[in-house]
Amino acid sequence: PLDEIATLALICNLTATAVGVYHFGKWHLIHWPQAAPFLISSIPAAFIGGSIQINHTLHHFLLAASLSAAAIHLFIGIKQETERPSRDWSPQFRWFGGTMIGTGLGLLSGIVGIGGGIFLAPLLYALRWSSARHIAGLACFFICCNSIAGLGGRWLRLGEVMWTPDTFWLLLAVLGGAFIGSRLSAHSLLPSKLRLVTALLVTVVAARLWLKWLGI
């Protein structure tokens, strides 16, 4: 069922990104003041989004279209990664832009059951908000916080978290993958490789969602 899938996705996001936040924080790759405008707007928006019910067709379309756009931008920017230093945005723009982006992505992430970081990272790459690793750290923290908020909204609407018998084993696999992936992202992978890996993963997920939307 759609609600079960979306809720389980948020639980997996929360599990994975909790590990990621630990690793990125350990390597000082999460700039907490920079994350503030995104979070103060996205958390209540994700809570509201989690309380909204949509049908399967719209759910698959929103996810597939969003992820396809993200993948295209990620692939386009791979060769330019080393030539794109961070832009010196003013504090006023960072607060205004961060709250506007956070509100939209928080609402979308709560509705479709995804943490929102997969949408946030390409936007921040395009705006040259920060370095690739700092963007990855911010996106990870963003997903973690919005997953909690989205789960809260779903719990309010459904009256339960919809924990299934297979959830525990799935979370063990997610935990292992998150430990390896976040360590590589924070410390080992070059920015261009990090972007390529993200683009490939997003493309695979988007393709599967388009097939579901088309009924194939």
Side-chain angles (χ1 to χ4, degrees), residues 134-153:
H134 280 92
I135 288 174
L138 174 57
C140 190
F141 189 45
F142 184 87
I143 294 170
C144 187
C145 293
N146 283 291
S147 294
I148 295 172
L151 282 170

Side-chain angles (χ1 to χ4, degrees), residues 163-206:
W163 187 273
T164 67
D166 295 327
T167 301
F168 174 75
W169 301 109
L170 180 60
L171 292 188
L172 281 182
V174 169
L175 197 62
F179 184 86
I180 297 169
S182 60
R183 188 171 181 84
L184 288 172
S185 299
H187 186 56
S188 303
L189 286 175
L190 294 172
S192 58
K193 300 297 182 184
L194 179 60
R195 191 160 181 157
L196 175 61
V197 169
T198 305
L200 290 172
L201 289 172
V202 174
T203 300
V204 171
V205 176

Side-chain angles (χ1 to χ4, degrees), residues 92-124:
Q92 294 83 359
F93 179 82
R94 286 183 179 274
W95 267 97
F96 178 77
T99 53
M100 291 298 101
I101 292 170
T103 300
L105 295 187
L107 185 64
L108 181 62
S109 69
I111 291 173
V112 300
I114 194 168
I118 201 65
F119 310 129
L120 178 65
L123 274 174
L124 296 188

Side-chain angles (χ1 to χ4, degrees), residues 5-19 21 38-39 42-51 102 105-119 138-156 161 171 174:
I5 291 172
T7 302
L8 184 57
L10 287 172
I11 294 173
C12 289
N13 285 338
L14 178 57
T15 303
T17 53
V19 177
V21 167
F38 294 97
L39 297 178
S42 67
I43 289 174
F47 184 86
I48 294 170
S51 67
L105 295 187
L107 185 64
L108 181 62
S109 69
I111 291 173
V112 300
I114 194 168
I118 201 65
F119 310 129
L138 174 57
C140 190
F141 189 45
F142 184 87
I143 294 170
C144 187
C145 293
N146 283 291
S147 294
I148 295 172
L151 282 170
R154 289 183 175 278
W155 180 81
L156 182 68
V161 179
L171 292 188
V174 169

Side-chain angles (χ1 to χ4, degrees), residues 11-55:
I11 294 173
C12 289
N13 285 338
L14 178 57
T15 303
T17 53
V19 177
V21 167
Y22 167 76
H23 278 126
F24 284 110
K26 180 180 178 181
W27 292 99
H28 306 290
L29 292 174
I30 300 177
H31 188 234
W32 306 108
Q34 194 178 88
F38 294 97
L39 297 178
I40 62 173
S41 57
S42 67
I43 289 174
F47 184 86
I48 294 170
S51 67
I52 298 173
Q53 186 173 13
I54 60 174
N55 61 45

